[in-house]
Amino acid sequence: MPTVSVDKYDLFEALGQQYTTAEFEELCFEFGIELDEDTEKEERPIVNGVQEPPQLKIEIPANRYDMLCFEGIALMLNIFRGKQATPNFRLVQPKSGDLQTITVLEETAEVRPLVAGAILRNVKFTQKNYDSFISLQDKLHQNLARQRTLVAIGTHDLDTIKGPFTYEARPPKDISFVPLNQTKKLNGEELMAFYEKDKHLGRYLHIIRDKPVYPVIYDANRVVCSLPPIINGDHSKISLNSRNVFIECTATDATKLDTVINMMVTMFSAYAKEQFTVEPVKVISDHNGQTRITPNLSSRTETVEIDYLNGCLGISESAESISKLLTKMAVTAKPSDADPGLVEVTIPPMRADILQRCDIMEDVGIAYGFNRLPRISVTKTVGAPLTLNKLADIVRLESGLAGWSEVMPLILCSHDENFSWLNRKDDGLTAVRLANPKTAEYQIVRTSLLPGLLKTIRENKGHSVPMRVFETSDVVFKDPSSERKARNERHWAAAWYGKTSGFEEVHGLLDRVMAMLRQAFLTHDEGLTTGPGKSIDFTVKPVPDKRDGYWLEPVDDEPTFFPGRAAAVYLRLGGKTTRIGEFGILHPTVLDNFDLKFPVSTLEVNLEVFL
């Protein structure tokens, strides 16, 4: 969760009450935020010869963008305490009657297609609220705007520039201006080189650096206002003396764009001469039919069932009582005129975190008081373990009871470990590859559990032998028929490492687990036939006249194992026969590949056939 530092005594002054640390911590808890630290009794830095005032470091929920600044925290706590009504944010027309405009050119679609604007008139800045204004931009950039990749904010002294504005996309060499807090004019390419090693701005250059055109906002005199999402122009920078602030936001996500500009104007319109008023800007986008007025400060209305709110929280409040509780959370509510079982909730523009009725239910719970909610014993549930996980747990338990140790290797491995080291060939249709692996050790998603078991044994060669390890986990295969073109498959595998081959050990483990899964071992006396040249495949064939169970057949075409020392495991369930796995003594070249000096016998079975 983001942490916001605010001046302790300035906040208490805004709240109209002095608190002890314990009292304020209790208030934060009641509202659903958390006081992380009070620095009053700690050593604080000295800035310009003055010691920093005591700070309250408050953890804010990640979706409460309206509380990422001092103004938002003070506003919400005052509304919660009943000291202030929810502000009525309004769009007001300029005195001239003509709105400022931003004309969007079609070329911007190549790099950053969306833009919005707003104007705060007659703002009175102090050093503290100016710092808060800049801090909110930074926090929105890091949080909601995802490091400026989704949205970038530019703020300008409107008195230094002249509308109408244009939002264009031009080749880097054609863009030339003096960047913020600099004195030398740079073009787009020079600017990228200049800020490449800058600790703050250098991390944003990649967003547009490789684009053929860069986004840029010009005023009527072709003065560059900003090069989003990198930096503003020095010509229009705001200061403590700025009175009219032009805010522009460029974006790749329309929803995030609306949220960000709403947060900026709702939090700082309090400092306008006419409080909570915003002058809109007309965005002209004729090429895609998206001409509109921004920002949109209209409220949203949702209806919520009273029974749902009461049932989730275990309370029995009336519609009027619920409406009164919701006013403490900066939303307006009233009983529905159409249905007495509903509450109509009006959500103001700064509450972008309210998306559905469960969010409204959470607000009712906070306003009611979580500590006052009755304790509820939940006896009716639909929760249950997945059948596949339950089956895996049975196999895991039986393997452990048989004296084998469970291991949990990584699901990623190298291509060689999964194929050539096991003497297997990659047909290109089986394994899922990583597009850009960071190391050779993690190139593909494993299609067998054996590489992980053998690497575990290799890294523990100093351990006494014999070693008996097993794993029950997923492997992944390409599957063009599935939605994501790949599927998981739950396997169970075991490996014996010792001075003897251990073939009988893994055979015994297989028989034990099969017995616990209630699968009988079938012998040739029960009608099974085998012989040279019999094909071994994975097809499922219905054989309704034969009993269910499992049996073994020799394998001679599996290069992973020593010739004549391997067997395939077949299972018949419901009259359908399939090969579910194999076990045997590993080939000496496999042992060399994994740097193992003693024989190893392994077993691997597909568990999903038992479902």
Side-chain angles (χ1 to χ4, degrees):
M1 295 191 296
T3 300
V4 180
S5 295
V6 297
D7 186 297
K8 178 177 181 177
Y9 293 107
D10 283 351
L11 180 61
F12 289 171
E13 181 181 353
L15 297 178
Q17 182 176 341
Q18 297 296 312
Y19 291 90
T20 64
T21 300
E23 290 171 342
F24 186 72
E25 190 171 21
E26 179 65 21
L27 174 62
C28 290
F29 176 80
E30 290 176 358
F31 189 69
I33 57 180
E34 183 178 352
L35 177 61
D36 187 49
E37 185 181 358
D38 182 350
T39 66
E40 183 163 21
K41 295 182 180 180
E42 299 179 2
E43 185 176 346
R44 303 189 299 277
I46 296 175
V47 181
N48 296 328
V50 180
Q51 188 177 37
E52 179 187 70
Q55 301 287 303
L56 296 174
K57 297 182 179 181
I58 304 172
E59 285 193 4
I60 305 297
N63 63 343
R64 288 304 299 266
Y65 316 118
D66 55 319
M67 297 185 69
L68 291 175
C69 60
F70 171 92
E71 291 73 13
I73 294 173
L75 175 64
M76 292 303 154
L77 290 179
N78 274 330
I79 294 174
F80 180 71
R81 295 159 58 245
K83 302 295 185 181
Q84 181 177 348
T86 302
N88 177 29
F89 298 102
R90 297 181 295 115
L91 296 179
V92 295
Q93 299 294 318
K95 293 181 179 179
S96 65
D98 296 325
L99 295 180
Q100 292 284 5
T101 62
I102 303 176
T103 301
V104 183
L105 301 192
E106 188 173 359
E107 294 76 16
T108 57
E110 299 181 40
V111 56
R112 208 170 180 85
L114 305 173
V115 68
I119 296 172
L120 298 178
R121 292 283 185 182
N122 299 313
V123 175
K124 187 174 182 180
F125 278 123
T126 64
Q127 186 62 54
K128 289 183 176 179
N129 63 32
Y130 175 84
D131 292 342
S132 181
F133 184 65
I134 302 302
S135 176
L136 177 60
Q137 292 181 58
D138 289 339
K139 284 188 166 55
L140 287 173
H141 278 151
Q142 303 308 313
N143 186 346
L144 180 61
R146 296 292 186 271
Q147 302 284 344
R148 302 192 188 183
T149 56
L150 300 181
V151 186
I153 309 165
T155 54
H156 312 274
D157 187 335
L158 185 60
D159 296 327
T160 65
I161 50 181
K162 180 182 179 182
F165 302 92
T166 57
Y167 179 43
E168 307 177 17
R170 299 175 63 83
K173 289 184 177 180
D174 295 346
I175 302 170
S176 181
F177 68 105
V178 178
L180 184 65
N181 296 327
Q182 300 298 325
T183 57
K184 182 182 178 182
K185 182 177 287 190
L186 304 173
N187 65 31
E189 291 182 348
E190 293 170 339
L191 183 139
M192 290 294 169
F194 182 79
Y195 285 109
E196 188 171 15
K197 295 183 180 179
D198 188 280
K199 293 182 179 179
H200 175 58
L201 295 177
R203 53 185 166 169
Y204 306 124
L205 301 182
H206 70 93
I207 301 174
I208 63 170
R209 165 175 266 165
D210 297 328
K211 302 291 184 180
V213 291
Y214 290 177
V216 60
I217 294 179
Y218 290 102
D219 78 345
N221 297 322
R222 303 302 289 175
V223 172
V224 173
C225 299
S226 67
L227 182 76
I230 310 302
I231 196 166
N232 294 342
D234 189 70
H235 181 87
S236 59
K237 67 180 179 183
I238 62 171
S239 66
L240 294 179
N241 298 320
S242 299
R243 291 295 174 261
N244 300 305
V245 179
F246 171 53
I247 303 173
E248 44 84 5
C249 298
T250 59
T252 58
D253 185 294
T255 302
K256 300 292 189 297
L257 173 66
D258 291 340
T259 302
V260 166
I261 197 164
N262 283 352
M263 292 306 113
M264 290 296 298
V265 299
T266 54
M267 292 301 101
F268 287 92
S269 59
Y271 297 118
K273 185 176 182 180
E274 189 177 351
Q275 273 196 323
F276 308 120
T277 61
V278 180
E279 182 180 316
V281 171
K282 184 177 182 180
V283 176
I284 302 173
S285 187
D286 292 334
H287 67 278
N288 57 8
Q290 293 187 6
T291 297
R292 64 197 186 281
I293 304 295
T294 63
N296 179 10
L297 296 183
S298 60
S299 299
R300 297 176 288 126
T301 300
E302 300 286 343
T303 57
V304 188
E305 301 87 349
I306 298 173
D307 290 344
Y308 167 79
L309 299 174
N310 283 329
C312 289
L313 298 171
I315 57 179
S316 55
E317 298 294 309
S318 64
E320 291 77 10
S321 177
I322 289 174
S323 300
K324 187 175 181 180
L325 289 172
L326 284 172
T327 59
K328 297 174 64 177
M329 303 305 296
V331 297
T332 305
K334 65 174 184 177
S336 173
D337 296 330
D339 187 338
L342 299 176
V343 174
E344 291 183 2
V345 182
T346 302
I347 304 164
M350 74 277 196
R351 288 301 307 272
D353 59 297
I354 299 179
L355 302 177
Q356 48 192 331
R357 63 177 188 168
C358 63
D359 299 313
I360 298 173
M361 178 269 293
E362 180 187 15
D363 276 1
V364 173
I366 293 173
Y368 185 87
F370 281 140
N371 283 338
R372 294 178 53 210
L373 293 176
R375 295 185 179 273
I376 302 174
S377 177
V378 180
T379 56
K380 296 180 180 179
T381 69
V382 294
L386 292 174
T387 307
L388 180 59
N389 289 340
K390 191 173 182 180
L391 170 64
D393 286 343
I394 293 172
V395 174
R396 185 178 290 115
L397 176 63
E398 292 304 324
S399 301
L401 292 176
W404 295 65
S405 300
E406 184 175 15
V407 297
M408 300 180 68
L410 298 175
I411 196 170
L412 298 179
C413 65
S414 75
H415 183 272
D416 287 343
E417 290 168 349
N418 196 78
F419 290 105
S420 63
W421 286 16
L422 294 175
N423 294 338
R424 295 174 179 175
K425 294 183 179 180
D426 181 10
D427 59 6
L429 304 175
T430 305
V432 176
R433 289 175 173 267
L434 274 67
N436 184 27
K438 296 298 183 185
T439 68
E441 191 175 1
Y442 306 121
Q443 294 175 318
I444 66 171
V445 186
R446 63 186 179 183
T447 60
S448 169
L449 299 181
L450 297 186
L453 294 179
L454 297 179
K455 287 196 294 182
T456 301
I457 294 173
R458 181 187 66 195
E459 299 304 321
N460 292 275
K461 286 187 297 185
H463 195 280
S464 61
V465 293
M467 273 191 273
R468 297 179 290 182
V469 295
F470 77 94
E471 181 185 6
T472 306
S473 190
D474 283 358
V475 296
V476 177
F477 297 100
K478 285 183 179 179
D479 186 358
S481 63
S482 68
E483 180 183 1
R484 299 191 179 277
K485 308 304 179 184
R487 60 180 171 85
N488 286 25
E489 194 171 273
R490 187 67 55 88
H491 280 202
W492 164 58
W496 167 283
Y497 175 72
K499 295 182 179 180
T500 61
S501 67
F503 183 87
E504 69 282 359
E505 298 289 343
V506 294
H507 191 175
L509 179 63
L510 172 67
D511 290 342
R512 171 64 182 172
V513 171
M514 286 296 192
M516 293 301 100
L517 295 177
R518 301 177 183 268
Q519 300 301 317
F521 182 70
L522 304 181
T523 67
H524 295 298
D525 295 335
E526 298 177 75
L528 294 177
T529 59
T530 186
K534 182 174 180 180
S535 64
I536 299 173
D537 56 42
F538 291 84
T539 59
V540 179
K541 303 173 182 177
V543 189
D545 57 335
K546 296 183 179 179
R547 59 175 290 196
D548 289 351
Y550 76 100
W551 69 94
L552 308 177
E553 295 189 8
V555 173
D556 295 322
D557 60 349
E558 184 61 65
T560 302
F561 300 107
F562 198 87
R565 295 293 186 271
V569 184
Y570 283 82
L571 178 72
R572 186 186 297 122
L573 274 178
K576 295 182 178 181
T577 299
T578 183
R579 176 174 165 176
I580 64 172
E582 55 279 321
F583 70 97
I585 303 172
L586 293 183
H587 197 281
T589 58
V590 176
L591 300 182
D592 289 341
N593 291 334
F594 285 93
D595 194 22
L596 301 175
K597 61 182 180 179
F598 292 135
V600 178
S601 291
T602 63
L603 159 71
E604 184 165 10
V605 169
N606 176 11
L607 294 180
E608 297 196 7
V609 296
F610 294 96
L611 298 178

